[in-house]
Amino acid sequence: MAGGATTERFNPKSQPSSLPRLPCDQNGSGRTFGDEELRAVSEVLEAGVLTSTKGSFVRALESEFAETIGTRHAHACSSGTSAIHAAVAAIDPEPGEEIIVSPVTDMGALTPVLYQGAIPVFADVDPVTGNLTAETIQERISDRTRAIMVTHLFGNPCDMEPIMSLAGRHQLPVIEDCAQAFLASTEGANLGTLGAVGCFSLQQGQHVTCGEGGLVVTANADLSRRLRLFINKAWGYGDPDPDHYFLALNSRMSELQGAVALAQTRKATDSVDHRVHMAELLTHRLRGCPGITPPLVAPGQRHAYWRYAMLVQPDVIPGGASALAERLQAAGVACAPHYVGKPAFACKVIAEQRTFGNSRFPFTLARDEATDYRPERFRGTHKFLEDVLVLPWNESLQSAHVEFMATSIESAATTLRDEASRVLASSVSC
Ligand SMILES: Cc1ncc(COP(=O)(O)O)c(C=O)c1O
């Protein structure tokens, strides 16, 4: 099933010519599952060892993943959320200590902070990339800050050099949320290797997938031990006198998942190269389309294109991202205007502090400023979410699909502009 990544592996001829169906990562059309995964899963079942505490696939995945990313330790777990949970637990904040986070991310990056009794303190994002910056993080550092968590949104790296030097000055560990950024890099270093800990998701729609799963990486031996323990109920496997050393969960990955994830990891370098190639093609096609800004990738950075996110200027394209999305969807181009729709702090769990019973813990320990979500403190966030339009992306896209997307975008944008000019002209002539 899986061919060379940059070959035309999806055959547009099998699709209706009037409406090219785009491959989708929510089923096999946009994934690279094949004989390698089938063989590995069969091997697990034939051996009958499904737990990673006894099997060899999850172990092999951890060592190959660490090598692929370029770090020392990788620990597999049950989801990206549990990878982040393990990272926060490894850093071990005191209740009420603060972790600076992005409001434009998946909730799975945030609830682990609350489960560990810490306060997620939201910093604003850059209105063009949707990423945190050293400046926005700096504004939120307090004497209670215990760590910084950055999300490399859509696979586009945050500007890590100033973020790492800010963190260094304040002696704060950085957690990199790389759920969307597998094999994205900055100045040649893969994301996940720059901060103290890097977290990855293996969910259905990620670059490497086994349906659900996660991996957490670090170069630090002490953090590595705490990560391993947290994923294993803090039971000291292999220790001379093991015990359950601290509060922790079982978030292990099974061998069946490990078998699929290992086969996927081996294909991932090609898959990511192909995603990048196709995304650059679309960016090239969209340059010069009035009102559309393709993803901005800074020099020295490699975007991994989990998704292709463009900005739509509502003063040029009337109705902005919503109107353009409506047209594109009608034309058969799946897309999500405004990405997650609202900042994470506007979701009930955080806005209404719905946590443990009626306790509101740990928000009861928060400084007032730490939960101040007034719009004027998040101008970049609101602007970004207003303008962004997200196209799903995957490794089965071919140049014919990209061409179809580009022409659909250009034509929808032109129609919207023309309609608005006609309305304006008729209102002037009345
Ligand atoms: C940025 C980010 N962080 C965390 C997660 C959580 O990962 P999972 O869904 O595997 O728990 C996701 C999931 O898409 C994500 O996009």
Side-chain angles (χ1 to χ4, degrees), residues 79-82 84 105-106 108-109 151 177 179-180 201-203 206 212-213 306 339:
S79 65
T81 306
S82 57
I84 287 173
T105 188
D106 186 271
T151 297
D177 181 353
Q180 305 179 355
S201 163
L202 306 190
Q203 217 270 336
Q206 314 305 102
E212 303 288 349
W306 175 64
Y339 180 40

Side-chain angles (χ1 to χ4, degrees), residues 233-247:
K233 296 178 261 186
W235 177 253
Y237 284 98
D239 287 358
D241 184 19
D243 200 343
H244 293 283
Y245 301 127
F246 55 82
L247 182 65

Side-chain angles (χ1 to χ4, degrees), residues 400-413:
H401 301 119
V402 172
E403 184 53 33
F404 169 63
M405 286 190 249
T407 13
S408 304
I409 293 165
E410 283 164 344
S411 130

